[in-house]
Amino acid sequence: MRIVFMGTPEFAVPSLHTLLDNGYEVVAVVTQPDRPKGRKRVLTPPPVKEAALALGLPVLQPERMRSEEAAEAIAALKPDLIVTAAYGQILPKAVLDTPPLGCINVHGSLLPQYRGGAPIQRSIINGEKVTGVTIMYMAAGLDTGDMISKVEVPIEDDDTSGTLFEKLSLAGAELLARTLPAIAAGDAARTPQQHELATYAPNLTRDDERIDWSRTARQIYDQVRGLSPMAGAFTTLSGEVFKVWTCAKPADGASAAGKHDSGTVLEASDKGIRVQTGSGELLLLIVQPSGKRAMDVSEWLKGAKLPAGTQFGQASSDGEQSEGGAQ
């Protein structure tokens, strides 16, 4: 099979390696354009591009896959199959119709649950215990195509989106290796999705990163780990953005609301910052004050004071910007 591979983040790299390790001919790799990254906005290639160049594979980086030029470039490669994994752009009908064996996608959820661009983060944020990978035929809708194969992956209580990305990327690559022979033979299973059971995982917004202290300790804990190590959850301290990267797992079971308002600091020590939530207490372990790097609470408290009774509040919308991963 002549295969065109499309992917962008680290999640897709194991799938690319799987194609080559199993002897398939990857005629080109398509990925997103290089983007500015970090506080210094350095133009940075996506991980899939770096992997492809290291493997000696030709790389295409169309700004818009929906352009006529992009579709013509793909057609000129004469692929038998297109394999995508977290590419980040919707493929137009002209591209979907190009390969005779179709286009397949390695998707980080158990479809039809969590269709969309942020299934891994949102599965943790929503407190799910199990997720997985689905390989499906691509269709015109958003992750609506017929399913070919699935594998389940448990979500552990200490998983972050970073650890779960790695687990699912490896599980997806292994599933791809098992699935490709049937696709090549033309007898792969096609199981239509039950669209009435679909749930969605849209890309994360700034509001998704904002901590609402009136929620339960467990809900906030899941939010923090679901946003780490990419965007990070945030609150405010003295009107400045204050990020939270790691918390201690709260005790199981519901707790009654405390005597203090939600978001009140109960104690700050080398063990962490104890904060009252809408139900239960949460212990913050790794934080990032405005203008500083992420650090253990014990390190931050060497040069800062946080008296009991301090109130974490909502951030002002003026001048807020996501700072990306932990620095």
Side-chain angles (χ1 to χ4, degrees), residues 136-137 144-150 188-194:
M136 64 174 193
Y137 282 107
T144 57
D146 292 346
M147 300 177 293
I148 307 170
S149 56
K150 285 184 178 182
R190 297 189 73 121
T191 304
Q193 295 187 42
Q194 293 179 272

Side-chain angles (χ1 to χ4, degrees), residues 3-9 12-13 15-17 19-20 25-33 46-62 65 73-74 77 82-85 87:
I3 295 177
V4 168
F5 181 80
M6 299 183 179
T8 299
V13 173
S15 290
L16 174 59
H17 281 286
L19 296 177
L20 298 172
E25 182 184 5
V26 178
V27 295
V29 171
V30 181
T31 188
Q32 297 272 46
V48 164
K49 178 182 179 180
E50 294 181 325
L53 293 178
L55 293 165
L57 299 172
V59 175
L60 283 68
Q61 294 180 277
M65 182 54 69
I74 299 300
L77 295 168
I82 291 176
V83 178
T84 73
Y87 171 50

